[in-house]
Amino acid sequence: QVQVVESGEVSVKTGGSLILSCTISQYYCTQWFRQVPGKDREGVAAIDEEGFATYAETVRGRFTISKDSTKNVLYLRMARLKPEDTAMYYCAAGPMCIIATVSPAAAENIPYWGQGTQVTVSS
């Protein structure tokens, strides 16, 4: 049974799986960022309004982004989790998909942010 988490904190073991969910506003692109303390937010998975998904190299093949447009819910299925996946995960929405690190100033230009879920992966 894979745990579905919408907010708060969650801990999993290395190799485990998890599904993040988020209620999202409708924009051209909806996506997931993650952030570790002292670093800028990194876009890891994005899906545009046509359903085309893109991923950061660090998560490709392990993470899957999907959305339920009828319910305005965005999902991130995370598998084969590693300790380096430990981070605060945020959903976001805006006019373009960003699979890159964004500065705090650039992050302010992204119209919608979810509240965040802390994911901790332990060995």
Side-chain angles (χ1 to χ4, degrees):
Q1 189 82 13
V2 180
Q3 188 176 1
V4 181
V5 183
E6 187 170 354
S7 63
E9 300 181 18
V10 61
S11 295
V12 295
K13 294 289 189 181
T14 298
S17 298
L18 191 63
I19 300 173
L20 302 184
S21 71
C22 173
T23 301
I24 202 80
S25 293
Q26 291 292 343
Y27 281 90
Y28 173 76
C29 185
T30 51
Q31 67 175 110
W32 292 93
F33 286 82
R34 68 185 181 186
Q35 186 173 27
V36 297
K39 294 192 174 181
D40 291 340
R41 293 184 185 184
E42 172 196 14
V44 294
I47 186 166
D48 65 23
E49 62 182 13
E50 286 86 24
F52 182 75
T54 54
Y55 299 92
E57 187 62 35
T58 52
V59 306
R60 188 175 296 122
R62 300 187 298 119
F63 290 12
T64 304
I65 189 171
S66 62
K67 63 181 178 179
D68 184 337
S69 298
T70 63
K71 299 178 181 179
N72 291 340
V73 178
L74 185 70
Y75 299 97
L76 184 67
R77 177 178 287 270
M78 310 161 72
R80 303 194 303 279
L81 283 160
K82 305 174 182 180
E84 51 263 44
D85 294 319
T86 295
M88 182 71 81
Y89 285 75
Y90 299 93
C91 61
M96 58 185 297
C97 294
I98 303 172
I99 299 298
T101 300
V102 294
S103 67
E108 289 183 3
N109 290 325
I110 296 173
Y112 179 87
W113 287 98
Q115 62 184 5
T117 299
Q118 175 64 42
V119 175
T120 301
V121 183
S122 59
S123 57

